[in-house]
Amino acid sequence: MTSRIPGADEFTSRPLSREELLRQISPALRLHQAGDEQVDALTYEVVRHRLWAITQEMGETLRRMSGSHVVTESNDFNFSICDELGEQVQVGTYNIGLIGSMDLAITWTLRHRADNPGIAEGDMFLCNDPWIGGGLHQNDAAILAPIFHDGELFGWTTAIAHQVDLGGPRPGSFSPSAQDVFGEAVPTPPLKVVRGGVLQRDVADAWVRRSRLPHLVGLDLRAKVAANKNAIDQVLRLVAKYGAGTVKAVMRRMMDDAEHRLRAKLGNLPDGTWTAVGYQEQSGTGDRNLHAIKVAMTKEGDRLVFDFRGTAGQTGIINCPYPGLRAGIVFTVLPLLAGDIPWAAGGLMRCFEIITDEDTITNASFPAAVGKGPFGPAWGAGNLVAEVLAKMLDAEPAHRADVQSICNGTTDLCVVSGVDVRGGAGKRFVSPIFDVMAGGYGAQVHHDGVDTGGRLIIPSARAPDVEMTEYLYPLVALWRREQIDSGGPGRQRGGMSGSVCYVQHPDQSGRMSLVVSGNGKAANQNVGLAGGHPGNSQLDLVVRGIDLPRLAGAKSIPAGLGELGGRVEVLPCEGESDLGPGDALYLHWQAGGGYGDPLLRQADSVVEDVRQARVSAEAARDVYGVVLAEDGEVDATATGDARAALRHRRATGAGLTGPGLQVVSPVDLTAARRLDDNLAVLDSTVVCVHCGTKIGPLEGGAFVTGLARRETAPAEAGPHIWHDPSEYVDEEIVFRQLLCPGCLTAVSSRVVPVSHPLPHDDYRSAP
């Protein structure tokens, strides 16, 4: 018996046209491809809503069966119903990133499993290979289940969830020092884990054997199988009631309608090209470099092209394969462009194209380390896509309400592991700290960002109940709270983030291991727009030798780090540490970016922020220029003086280049076309909407050289910016503001490396 030995290139996925895919599928596999029946409006809506409900019920099935707090507490999972070729007809409202490449995994399975071992009724396939799809890194494990009707492959259901541990050298399967994928959890291409409705014990045993927590992984496996089985049964009941042709016609129409609606929206937006550059900090343990991700988004007619050429080459652990890049685009496009369109993702994904170089951190080749893919380069690429989409929407008055500054930027990964000795049990535990789910949303043109609202990419995200965390793991929370001053300052303020501080349980002994990973500690990923400041820098600390807890007999709970005593150890972007009985773990995750110049925020809004403990009185004065009187109301005279002083500081402060403050004559802006909150185009010349200053020609972004530029220390952006980026990277980091030369209103405010390019290209092809 012989068979072909596959090469590395065989274990990769790329989108294929339906015609090309059909040519590559074994003819022995019969496909149900009807679906051209006419369906009345009432039947269409009933069947469509039933398909949506089935995906939500899959979530309830998984949540009720799983024992993992990743699923039960934080909703880090998702589902989809697909047609016979894997196009996604309906997806769940959980982690959108987990379905951004599910169709690619089904496509691969159709091409490589149809003839051997075959795809038959009652089968299901297990996959956690990031190069194939169905997840963003190895800890995302999917079950792909074909639906058969009358001997024909009618469609697929899928269930996917993050697994707490799937092996590798470090608990939690994330290794900051990995040199390649062989230093991480092993990726597994699609295996037939259920055959003819029966769970294959040998495959299931091999799967759980790899994990430090086999009971959790085994239970999740069965929960995903059950969720798929329940969904298949319900889809077939729908087919029995309405007919296979009718249900398939609804599925086709759902995707076509989603495509047509998104194309219609794109057709009403201006054509052009917008660019953005972001950074991954540290590629692994010991690295102190920044690694750039670049995107140029071109919108032409009713389609988008995302061009990532020029992105840094693959290195260390900060890589994702092509399916992860695609997922990063999907989990941004769906909520930002298709929030008012039913999420028939197969139709929505027809509206964009991806161009990317091979062997880069957003399109890594095997065997690159890719464990950080979802919360590293995939999320980083998604942030940049959100930024260029916002610039496009901001230029169209009818869509300015959809503009949103970047949300919390990425996750703050910290995996705590050890042996829980409470009660003498000696039970091994691995726990990612999921309190960080409570990220801040970016500000909008007309609204502040949502405080600790969750994550844009996981609409149903939840931070776990602190008491549940304390029950499951030998940790005690000193606090978990919204963090004052964390939201990005702006005319509209970014949503606040939070912080949490954990110590060991009093009955615990020994040291716990920590694995940490996170961006936005030096160069912020949660950027603001139109002069809005970024949200807070991410900050992770261990405080050694604290004065307070052991908690036994404690009379009070410390209110902040200053009351803990001890010695502060700053944790790196990528690295490992430990937590002892006399230590405290502090995580401060990222908030949302602001929108517009903070000096333009209504003073009454700043006062209300101070009352609600969202902004400190010091930040109100030093960042917003709002001074409070003794009764807590606005001191109008002092506020006017403070704002004038802050503008004067921009004009005379260190690092100012370009034109200084100019005296200008008012300009009639009636015929001007807005670019964003501050800039408009009048007769091909960019002007300031606040003072009428003619800044320069729009063509080629030439006006950018007419803006005043100020570069100062990052802490100048506000008290929420960690003041010493040199703790993490070698390159100099600055707070860069581009300013109107007439009134010195901030047009752009970024914490970036000094080599960060000026945004000429943002306007090169803009309308």
Side-chain angles (χ1 to χ4, degrees):
M1 178 177 177
T2 61
S3 64
R4 172 182 54 82
I5 299 176
D9 60 334
E10 292 292 322
F11 295 98
T12 58
S13 290
R14 291 290 191 277
L16 294 174
S17 68
R18 293 182 71 90
E19 295 75 16
E20 178 63 24
L21 178 57
L22 287 169
R23 285 195 292 268
Q24 297 188 29
I25 297 175
S26 171
L29 182 64
R30 296 172 55 205
L31 303 175
H32 181 277
Q33 296 193 76
D36 54 359
E37 295 185 12
Q38 296 298 312
V39 179
D40 64 84
L42 179 60
T43 300
Y44 173 72
E45 290 298 332
V46 170
V47 174
R48 180 175 75 85
H49 280 81
R50 185 65 197 130
L51 291 171
W52 175 84
I54 291 171
T55 60
Q56 297 304 102
E57 290 172 22
M58 291 177 79
E60 289 304 310
T61 302
L62 181 57
R63 192 184 289 115
R64 291 173 185 272
M65 288 189 64
S66 172
S68 169
H69 76 289
V70 174
V71 171
T72 61
E73 292 292 309
S74 298
N75 289 350
D76 194 355
F77 58 82
N78 214 340
F79 307 93
S80 65
I81 297 173
C82 311
D83 72 2
E84 72 280 4
L85 296 184
E87 280 200 285
Q88 294 175 98
V89 175
Q90 182 65 58
V91 301
T93 57
Y94 303 100
N95 188 334
I96 313 170
L98 297 181
I99 52 85
S101 62
M102 194 65 71
D103 58 322
L104 299 182
I106 294 174
T107 295
W108 192 96
T109 304
L110 286 166
R111 294 169 60 205
H112 298 277
R113 296 292 185 260
D115 58 342
N116 182 3
I119 300 173
E121 187 170 357
D123 291 349
M124 296 188 192
F125 294 85
L126 168 66
C127 177
N128 78 322
D129 192 322
W131 280 275
I132 287 174
L136 290 91
H137 62 165
Q138 299 94 306
N139 285 68
D140 298 331
I143 300 292
L144 319 174
I147 306 171
F148 279 85
H149 174 71
D150 286 345
E152 294 182 329
L153 179 59
F154 179 83
W156 296 78
T157 65
T158 71
I160 185 169
H162 179 94
Q163 307 300 139
V164 174
D165 181 87
L166 286 178
R170 299 290 180 270
S173 306
F174 179 77
S175 178
S177 58
Q179 300 299 306
D180 53 36
V181 75
F182 301 111
E184 301 177 324
V186 177
T188 302
L191 296 175
K192 188 176 288 192
V193 68
V194 175
R195 185 185 299 268
V198 178
L199 183 69
Q200 300 302 285
R201 188 175 300 167
D202 55 349
V203 178
D205 287 350
W207 176 248
V208 303
R209 182 69 166 174
R210 65 197 291 165
S211 177
R212 296 169 177 84
L213 302 171
H215 56 295
L216 286 183
V217 173
L219 193 55
D220 274 356
L221 172 64
R222 287 159 175 79
K224 285 180 281 190
V225 168
N228 275 300
K229 178 64 168 61
N230 183 48
I232 291 171
D233 290 346
Q234 293 192 62
V235 170
L236 290 178
R237 289 193 198 106
L238 203 59
V239 168
K241 183 173 182 178
Y242 292 97
T246 296
V247 175
K248 183 59 66 71
V250 171
M251 294 167 71
R252 294 267 193 270
R253 181 174 161 187
M254 287 172 66
M255 292 188 288
D256 290 345
D257 283 356
E259 177 187 3
H260 294 156
R261 289 178 64 177
L262 182 53
R263 289 192 185 278
K265 178 180 286 189
L266 291 171
N268 289 324
L269 290 167
D271 288 348
T273 297
W274 294 263
T275 68
V277 180
Y279 302 92
Q280 299 291 291
E281 302 159 349
Q282 302 183 357
S283 65
T285 302
D287 182 39
R288 292 181 53 82
N289 295 311
L290 292 164
H291 306 269
I293 301 175
K294 300 180 179 181
V295 66
M297 181 191 75
T298 298
K299 184 266 169 181
E300 184 175 359
D302 62 358
R303 63 193 293 270
L304 296 170
V305 177
F306 297 102
D307 188 341
F308 287 88
R309 287 176 293 188
T311 292
Q314 63 189 56
T315 181
I317 63 168
I318 55 167
N319 311 294
C320 72
Y322 178 90
L325 171 62
R326 188 164 175 263
I329 296 172
V330 169
F331 67 53
T332 304
V333 168
L334 263 61
L336 292 184
L337 275 187
D340 57 349
I341 301 173
W343 283 358
L348 297 172
M349 285 191 279
R350 299 170 189 166
C351 301
F352 67 81
E353 175 188 346
I354 304 170
I355 301 173
T356 174
D357 293 325
E358 302 283 345
D359 306 324
T360 59
I361 60 176
T362 54
N363 185 18
S365 300
F366 188 86
V370 292
K372 191 181 175 174
F375 44 89
W379 205 325
N383 291 336
L384 300 181
V385 169
E387 186 177 344
V388 293
L389 287 175
K391 292 173 182 176
M392 175 181 67
L393 293 168
D394 219 354
E396 177 56 46
H399 290 279
R400 293 196 75 214
D402 298 327
V403 172
Q404 185 169 39
S405 295
I406 311 308
C407 296
N408 54 296
T410 186
T411 196
D412 185 1
L413 176 72
C414 181
V415 180
V416 184
S417 62
V419 177
D420 184 352
V421 300
R422 292 175 298 175
K427 182 178 68 174
R428 177 184 288 275
F429 73 92
V430 179
S431 173
I433 302 297
F434 271 92
D435 305 76
V436 302
M437 283 281 189
Y441 272 56
Q444 297 182 269
V445 174
H446 305 299
H447 303 282
D448 292 340
V450 180
D451 298 323
T452 56
R455 293 180 174 176
L456 180 73
I457 72 168
I458 310 179
S460 301
R462 299 189 305 174
D465 188 319
V466 167
E467 292 186 359
M468 182 59 70
T469 300
E470 294 177 338
Y471 170 74
L472 292 171
Y473 308 109
L475 296 169
V476 175
L478 300 186
W479 69 75
R480 185 177 79 183
R481 57 169 173 247
E482 291 183 330
Q483 197 71 31
I484 194 169
D485 288 333
S486 57
R491 182 178 63 77
Q492 301 292 351
R493 177 184 49 79
M496 300 166 66
S497 66
S499 70
V500 68
C501 187
Y502 281 111
V503 295
Q504 286 195 11
H505 190 278
D507 295 337
Q508 180 68 9
S509 62
R511 306 196 74 80
M512 303 177 183
S513 296
L514 302 177
V515 175
V516 294
S517 175
N519 292 306
K521 295 183 175 182
N524 293 61
Q525 291 195 310
N526 49 353
V527 302
L529 296 175
H533 294 200
N536 68 290
S537 300
Q538 191 161 283
L539 181 61
D540 301 331
L541 308 171
V542 172
V543 186
R544 305 289 186 190
I546 59 178
D547 295 335
L548 287 172
R550 300 314 189 122
L551 294 172
K555 302 298 184 184
S556 63
I557 296 175
L561 288 171
E563 297 183 17
L564 291 179
R567 173 179 57 85
V568 172
E569 174 188 316
V570 179
L571 297 178
C573 301
E574 314 292 345
E576 300 177 61
S577 187
D578 57 34
L579 186 73
D583 303 334
L585 172 65
Y586 172 84
L587 307 178
H588 180 15
W589 56 93
Q590 294 180 74
Y595 182 89
D597 191 329
L599 296 185
L600 299 178
R601 185 165 176 79
Q602 291 291 329
D604 289 345
S605 297
V606 178
V607 171
E608 184 61 22
D609 284 341
V610 174
R611 288 175 180 157
Q612 298 294 331
R614 298 186 178 106
V615 173
S616 66
E618 294 76 18
R621 180 193 64 229
D622 298 338
V623 179
Y624 290 97
V626 175
V627 180
L628 277 62
E630 290 184 2
D631 62 359
E633 299 298 330
V634 176
D635 185 327
T637 300
T639 292
D641 292 342
R643 288 188 159 177
L646 287 173
R647 286 188 186 273
H648 181 73
R649 183 177 180 181
R650 290 176 177 177
T652 60
L656 185 74
T657 60
L661 190 63
Q662 301 176 0
V663 179
V664 297
S665 300
V667 174
D668 183 2
L669 299 177
T670 305
R673 178 171 43 81
R674 292 287 283 261
L675 288 176
D676 60 17
D677 212 44
N678 308 301
L679 304 177
V681 180
L682 185 64
D683 297 328
S684 300
T685 298
V686 176
V687 298
C688 174
V689 301
H690 307 295
C691 69
T693 297
K694 293 183 178 180
I695 300 172
L698 175 66
E699 181 64 28
F703 78 94
V704 172
T705 59
L707 295 169
R709 184 174 68 181
R710 182 171 181 257
E711 292 185 353
T712 56
E716 286 283 315
H720 61 309
I721 301 297
W722 174 239
H723 69 279
D724 191 7
S726 65
E727 187 77 41
Y728 307 108
V729 297
D730 290 331
E731 186 166 354
E732 181 184 2
I733 305 295
V734 297
F735 177 47
R736 175 184 293 168
Q737 288 189 295
L738 301 180
L739 309 161
C740 166
C743 59
L744 291 178
T745 295
V747 172
S748 173
S749 301
R750 305 283 293 261
V751 175
V752 292
V754 71
S755 61
H756 186 78
L758 292 175
H760 293 81
D761 287 346
D762 293 351
Y763 307 95
R764 179 159 296 164
S765 301

